[in-house]
Amino acid sequence: MVAYTSIYGETLERTAWEGRNIVLLTQSSDLDAGVMQNIVSKLDEAYDFYSRITGHIPSPYFTYNGKATIAEVQDTCGAGCGFLGLTGIEIMPEYFNILYDGVRDTGLYDQVLFYELGRNFWFYEQPLNTLPPFTTGFAIENRFLSMDAAGVDGGSFNGVEWDRLVAAVQQDMAQLYFSNPNLTWHNTLVTDSGPENPYGLGGADLAGSLLHRLYEDFGEDNYARFWQSLISKEAATTPEQARANFLAAAEEATSVDYSWLFKEGWQFKTGTADGETLVSGAKRGDYAVLGFGGNDTLRGSKRAELMVGGLGDDTLLGGQGNDTLLGSIGDDLVRGDEGADLLAGGDGADRFVFRSVREAGRGAQHDTIVDFSPDDTLDLCGIDANTRRYGDQAFTFIDTADFHRRAGELRWAGGMVQGDVNGDGRADFQIALQGVDSLNACNIVL
């Protein structure tokens, strides 16, 4: 048994269950050691997730053997109570028992402590302090992600099945927000209010849903870059400054302008959880087509627009403008068409399709893929590699070698795929692959 002084100053005797990062202090010593080992190890993994995305650890406050404590107490500031940016969490017996019994009986983990860890890792009061829903929204969204990272399934929450809760926060809140033209960031995020919904979710849940857009579009690494960039921003004294901090960090992390999350000046066409075809109606101003769930087909127009596939294996077909196409989660097909397009596949094995030299572009008008990965494919088979010969010829990949003044050569240099289709030794098209150091021929359909 070890001595523990609670948040309210009460001295207690507790049993310590020690992990790598955290120590769980319980009232009873008569607990199944295997169950407790599972709980502690999964909380350790969740702690690791929070540390990865923030690039920081909480300042020591409540500790045991130099590790963060989670203590079972009779009375604290809520079901669970965690300090902002500091170590130390308390949980009331009723809620600890829900966690323990769920793991022991069904292998399902209650969410409270994963949420409270998000409070410990909140370091963003200064850059976002005038948009308070994000403080709780950080913990709301990242409890889901930390539990995924730890490989655990959640138990029901307030009578709602876990998968339904996850979908309601991560997908439904955003869909309701973007599909309602009467909702703005001023009458939701600024006022800590959410769209009307059957679960009583509020402004913090909406903030969590908007944070999930970044994770869904670009995965954990870029999501981490967002938080690590945001922490360096100056203190916000107005909601507009907090918004500017958010958008600057998002663009630094992803190369994408995420101003559409705040809706100001934007028009939207939104899908549902089902697969469907959505055709852009862009005529003027900024226009976004958002697919959400299902295997969607999104079609562009003659104007520039934003397209986001969302969940599912989506097909994104740009138009003639300078489009931004984000496939998000799933094995997506992304085709920018004409214009200087910004393309991202997101998680999954994505296929980036170019049918002509004009679609790929060159110089200031070339297309850019911001997240090309070893699982992705660059499909160039629609481009005639040799315009001096009849028919449709395939390219020859020469890696980083200089062009040899032979039509049909494809090279990789300066972060760009470059093709010579007429044999003059100069690139007739260029496709930039951001963050890619080398390119393998097996990732190209020639």
Side-chain angles (χ1 to χ4, degrees):
M1 303 291 281
V2 300
Y4 172 78
T5 302
S6 74
I7 291 173
Y8 291 151
E10 185 178 5
T11 301
L12 307 167
E13 293 292 316
R14 291 292 181 263
T15 298
W17 308 86
E18 191 166 353
R20 292 182 293 104
N21 301 311
I22 64 100
V23 179
L24 188 50
L25 304 173
T26 62
Q27 290 187 116
S28 174
S29 59
D30 188 22
L31 298 171
D32 185 290
V35 172
M36 291 304 298
Q37 182 180 8
N38 287 339
I39 292 173
V40 170
S41 67
K42 294 306 181 183
L43 290 170
D44 273 340
E45 291 181 43
Y47 185 104
D48 291 337
F49 166 81
Y50 279 107
S51 180
R52 285 198 306 273
I53 65 166
T54 62
H56 290 73
I57 59 174
S59 298
Y61 190 43
F62 278 44
T63 62
Y64 176 80
N65 284 346
K67 300 173 183 179
T69 60
I70 300 174
E72 182 187 6
V73 299
Q74 288 295 328
D75 188 26
T76 189
C77 64
C81 185
F83 290 105
L84 291 178
L86 307 171
T87 60
I89 295 171
E90 293 183 347
I91 184 170
M92 294 174 64
E94 175 186 354
Y95 298 97
F96 172 74
N97 290 338
I98 292 173
L99 170 64
Y100 178 83
D101 293 346
V103 175
R104 181 194 62 195
D105 298 340
T106 63
L108 299 179
Y109 285 71
D110 184 70
Q111 56 84 44
V112 168
L113 294 182
F114 298 90
Y115 169 89
E116 294 300 336
L117 277 174
R119 310 285 283 177
N120 288 173
F121 280 85
W122 176 252
F123 310 121
Y124 307 94
E125 189 65 22
Q126 293 300 309
L128 291 181
N129 64 0
T130 47
L131 285 177
F134 281 105
T135 305
T136 300
F138 175 89
I140 286 172
E141 164 63 359
N142 289 311
R143 66 175 164 180
F144 299 135
L145 303 183
S146 69
M147 292 172 75
D148 283 345
V152 302
D153 295 321
S156 62
F157 177 76
N158 291 338
V160 180
E161 290 298 314
W162 185 251
D163 289 347
R164 179 80 290 272
L165 175 69
V166 174
V169 173
Q170 292 184 339
Q171 303 297 325
D172 297 355
M173 289 295 282
Q175 199 275 339
L176 290 169
Y177 169 71
F178 288 116
S179 63
N180 187 341
N182 296 318
L183 294 180
T184 69
W185 73 286
H186 291 286
N187 62 22
T188 53
L189 298 174
V190 175
T191 62
D192 199 2
S193 303
E196 185 177 345
N197 63 91
Y199 302 105
L201 302 174
D205 299 285
L206 174 60
S209 182
L210 299 184
L211 293 175
H212 187 69
R213 300 303 97 205
L214 294 169
Y215 182 87
E216 186 174 288
D217 291 344
F218 283 98
E220 184 180 312
D221 288 348
N222 291 69
Y223 186 68
R225 291 187 188 101
F226 164 73
W227 289 114
Q228 292 166 31
S229 174
L230 183 61
I231 204 169
S232 67
K233 303 306 179 192
E234 294 183 358
T237 59
T238 66
E240 287 72 21
Q241 288 178 329
R243 173 182 177 271
N245 285 339
F246 184 107
L247 294 177
E251 187 157 10
E252 287 166 11
T254 67
S255 300
V256 171
D257 176 6
Y258 269 91
S259 61
W260 57 277
L261 291 180
F262 293 84
K263 294 185 69 174
E264 200 164 80
W266 283 81
Q267 303 172 68
F268 295 87
K269 175 168 284 189
T270 57
T272 64
D274 301 320
E276 52 207 317
T277 296
L278 300 173
V279 180
S280 171
K283 292 187 173 74
R284 62 184 182 279
D286 295 321
Y287 196 95
V289 183
L290 310 179
F292 289 100
N295 299 331
D296 300 311
T297 297
L298 311 184
R299 295 185 180 276
S301 68
K302 295 181 179 180
R303 296 186 56 85
E305 52 241 318
L306 166 77
M307 295 184 184
V308 184
L311 300 178
D313 301 334
D314 303 308
T315 299
L316 281 68
L317 308 174
Q320 296 179 19
N322 298 336
D323 303 314
T324 298
L325 308 183
L326 311 179
S328 296
I329 294 175
D331 300 338
D332 304 309
L333 186 151
V334 182
R335 192 185 78 207
D337 214 321
E338 296 181 18
D341 304 311
L342 195 66
L343 314 174
D347 282 349
D350 304 305
R351 192 177 192 90
F352 297 92
V353 178
F354 298 86
R355 302 174 301 173
S356 69
V357 166
R358 188 170 180 176
E359 282 189 3
R362 67 175 179 177
Q365 290 299 305
H366 68 74
D367 283 2
T368 299
I369 302 173
V370 300
D371 69 341
F372 194 84
S373 77
D375 293 327
D376 295 335
T377 300
L378 190 65
D379 187 342
L380 305 179
C381 70
I383 302 177
D384 181 7
N386 188 345
T387 58
R388 293 183 171 182
R389 293 179 59 187
Y390 178 77
D392 186 6
Q393 316 302 318
F395 283 101
T396 298
F397 185 56
I398 60 173
D399 204 351
T400 59
D402 291 334
F403 287 131
H404 302 93
R405 300 185 70 86
R406 288 196 291 265
E409 291 185 332
L410 189 76
R411 69 188 296 256
W412 167 250
M416 291 191 179
V417 177
Q418 306 177 22
D420 177 5
V421 300
N422 58 18
D424 64 358
R426 293 180 293 183
D428 296 301
F429 68 87
Q430 300 165 308
I431 303 166
L433 307 183
Q434 285 189 358
V436 177
D437 296 324
S438 61
L439 184 63
N440 197 313
C442 69
N443 291 104
I444 312 172
V445 180
L446 299 168

